[in-house]
């Protein structure tokens, strides 16, 4: 269950994702920064922000965000591999 900050974070995350898809990477990063500020555990916001940073050549910052977004998901990867 999300609190108000979590809901607003998802709105910023989704808008940031759409801006990324439109090639508006710097604007996407601004929205995704706000998503992370509101909900620091929003892993998708970190992943999307990492992708946007990669597209503008901020590779080290991109790696850091992707790492922050993907590491919390690692305990779930065994579910994928155990399925097959």
């Amino acid at each position: 269950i999300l609190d108000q900050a979590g809901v607003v974070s998802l709105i910023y995350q989704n808008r940031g994702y759409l801006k990324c898809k439109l090639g508006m990477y710097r604007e996407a990063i601004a929205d995704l920064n706000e998503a992370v500020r509101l909900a620091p555990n929003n892993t998708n916001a970190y992943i999307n922000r990492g992708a946007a940073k990669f597209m503008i050549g901020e590779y080290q910052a991109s790696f850091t965000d992707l790492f922050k977004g993907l590491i919390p998901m690692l305990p779930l990867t065994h579910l994928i591999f155990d399925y097959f």
Side-chain angles (χ1 to χ4, degrees), residues 34-72:
E34 188 63 13
V36 167
R37 185 188 71 77
L38 290 167
N41 60 342
N42 184 340
T43 56
N44 287 328
Y46 283 108
I47 292 167
N48 291 331
R49 189 173 72 178
K53 287 178 179 179
F54 183 86
M55 295 304 291
I56 62 170
E58 294 182 9
Y59 302 117
Q60 185 61 44
S62 170
F63 176 78
T64 301
D65 277 348
L66 292 170
F67 187 78
K68 284 181 183 178
L70 293 173
I71 288 300

Side-chain angles (χ1 to χ4, degrees), residues 1-11 35 37-42:
I1 298 176
L2 295 173
D3 59 7
Q4 184 176 359
V7 171
V8 176
S9 175
L10 285 176
I11 292 168
R37 185 188 71 77
L38 290 167
N41 60 342
N42 184 340

